[in-house]
């Protein structure tokens, strides 16, 4: 029988310090820009469309990172791309952020987040950039795509007002606040996409997010099955506050619907 290995207090403290340093290095230096791609199949039967979803860019002049994100989006060859808010925190960053996003090689559709309102971002400029890709900035409106196969609905984050779903179409709802799923009053859609939560940015194993913003509720990250249909909450590409992520990498999500 082997004798258990006992650590001295000094060895234990050294091991603890080393572990803390590794965690801090991951949280501050690796995860914040280590984008992952997640694939999600929605519905049964054969898929007809590939949709890429990203959220919460919070562009602050970090051009190389944003350019890499766009490169990864293009490599996925989506039919169209959906963005669910918080392009910037300061209006001065809007022109450069749009310059980067205009390189997306698929129609880009999106809705504003709370920081897009708070920053005073130019929604006309954003719409022009999204339109240049073949898409649009959707403000409590819908657009029917591919001969009626897709009904894309965009809800703004300062009102609970949603265009009614259309029959005989795949209805996809874009919104910023995940909690708005509780205000749909029985409306059913095929897929809801949201952001805002950042997944908490720091998630402890077996516990989850340490801190979440208002407007999230229990819908902190990932896929949820709700009375109105499947809801996916993207953890975002950018950061709010400290540039830190732990157990919560930035994400680009691919949906086969």
């Amino acid at each position: 029988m082997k004798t258990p290995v006992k650590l001295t207090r000094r060895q234990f403290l050294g091991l603890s310090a080393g572990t803390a340093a590794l965690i801090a290095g991951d949280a501050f230096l690796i995860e914040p820009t280590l984008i992952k791609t997640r694939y999600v199949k929605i519905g049964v039967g054969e898929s007809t469309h590939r949709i890429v979803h990203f959220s919460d860019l919070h562009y602050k002049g970090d051009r190389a990172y944003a350019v890499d994100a766009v490169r990864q989006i293009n490599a996925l060859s989506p039919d169209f791309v959906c963005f669910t808010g918080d392009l910037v925190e300061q209006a001065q960053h809007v022109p450069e952020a749009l310059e980067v996003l205009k390189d997306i090689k698929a129609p880009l559709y999106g809705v504003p987040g709370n920081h897009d309102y708070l920053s005073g971002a130019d929604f006309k400029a954003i719409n022009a950039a999204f339109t240049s890709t073949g898409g649009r900035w959707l403000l409590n409106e819908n657009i029917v795509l591919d001969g009626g196969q897709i009904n894309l609905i965009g809800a703004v984050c300062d009102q609970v007002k949603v265009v009614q779903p259309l029959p005989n179409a795949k209805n996809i709802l874009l919104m910023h606040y995940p909690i708005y799923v509780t205000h749909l009053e029985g409306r059913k859609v095929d897929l809801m996409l949201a952001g805002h939560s950042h997944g908490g940015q720091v998630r402890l194993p077996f516990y989850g997010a340490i801190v979440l913003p208002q407007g999230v509720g229990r819908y902190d990250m990932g896929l949820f099955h709700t009375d109105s249909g499947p809801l996916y909450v993207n953890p975002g590409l950018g950061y709010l506050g400290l540039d830190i992520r732990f157990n919560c990498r930035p994400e680009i999500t691919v949906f086969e619907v």
Side-chain angles (χ1 to χ4, degrees), residues 12 14-15 26 28-29 35 67 73 95 101 115 146 187-188 222 255:
F12 175 77
L15 182 61
D26 173 83
F28 284 97
L29 301 176
I35 299 172
V67 166
I73 289 170
L101 293 187
H115 285 280
D146 290 350
R187 300 181 183 95
K188 294 186 182 297
F255 295 92

Side-chain angles (χ1 to χ4, degrees), residues 172-192:
I172 300 171
L173 171 62
L174 309 184
M175 56 190 183
H176 186 63
Y177 292 138
I179 197 67
Y180 274 15
V181 69
T182 63
H183 300 302
L184 294 183
E185 300 175 349
R187 300 181 183 95
K188 294 186 182 297
V189 296
D190 297 279
L191 176 62
M192 291 167 283

Side-chain angles (χ1 to χ4, degrees), residues 38 43 63 70 76 91 102 117 128 132 142 146 148 170 231 234:
R38 183 176 179 187
R63 188 184 183 102
V70 168
L76 294 166
K102 284 193 293 186
Y117 283 100
S132 73
N142 72 306
D146 290 350
K170 292 180 179 179
L231 164 67
N234 187 290

Side-chain angles (χ1 to χ4, degrees), residues 30-37 65 234-238 245 248-252:
I30 298 175
E31 281 201 41
T33 57
L34 189 60
I35 299 172
K36 72 175 180 180
T37 302
Y65 175 61
N234 187 290
L237 286 177
R245 282 185 180 265
C248 185
R249 286 166 57 186
E251 180 179 303
I252 295 169

Side-chain angles (χ1 to χ4, degrees), residues 51-75:
I51 303 166
V52 164
H53 174 213
F54 72 105
S55 191
D56 295 86
L57 184 60
H58 287 265
Y59 188 84
K60 301 177 178 69
D62 40 352
R63 188 184 183 102
Y65 175 61
V67 166
D68 183 57
V70 168
R71 178 191 62 79
Q72 293 188 46
I73 289 170
N74 287 335

Side-chain angles (χ1 to χ4, degrees), residues 119-256:
S119 68
D122 185 348
F123 283 11
K124 288 184 178 179
I126 296 173
N127 183 57
F130 281 38
T131 300
S132 73
T133 69
R136 205 162 83 194
W137 191 237
L138 297 170
L139 305 177
N140 278 345
E141 56 190 319
N142 72 306
I143 184 168
V144 179
L145 308 174
D146 290 350
Q149 294 185 63
I150 298 286
N151 179 39
L152 191 61
I153 307 165
V156 302
C157 67
D158 61 345
Q159 299 176 37
V160 184
K161 178 182 177 183
V162 180
V163 176
Q164 288 287 352
L166 297 179
N168 304 316
K170 292 180 179 179
N171 293 279
I172 300 171
L173 171 62
L174 309 184
M175 56 190 183
H176 186 63
Y177 292 138
I179 197 67
Y180 274 15
V181 69
T182 63
H183 300 302
L184 294 183
E185 300 175 349
R187 300 181 183 95
K188 294 186 182 297
V189 296
D190 297 279
L191 176 62
M192 291 167 283
L193 302 178
H196 183 61
S197 74
H198 292 248
Q201 289 188 198
V202 174
R203 300 179 67 88
L204 299 182
F206 310 109
Y207 180 81
I210 298 176
V211 179
L212 289 167
Q214 292 184 342
V216 173
R218 70 180 184 90
Y219 309 105
D220 60 341
M221 185 174 74
L223 184 64
F224 298 88
H225 296 284
T226 78
D227 290 341
S228 292
L231 164 67
Y232 193 86
V233 182
N234 187 290
L237 286 177
Y239 65 91
L240 185 62
L242 288 176
D243 187 6
I244 179 174
R245 282 185 180 265
F246 179 71
N247 197 28
C248 185
R249 286 166 57 186
E251 180 179 303
I252 295 169
T253 320
V254 183
F255 295 92
E256 303 287 351

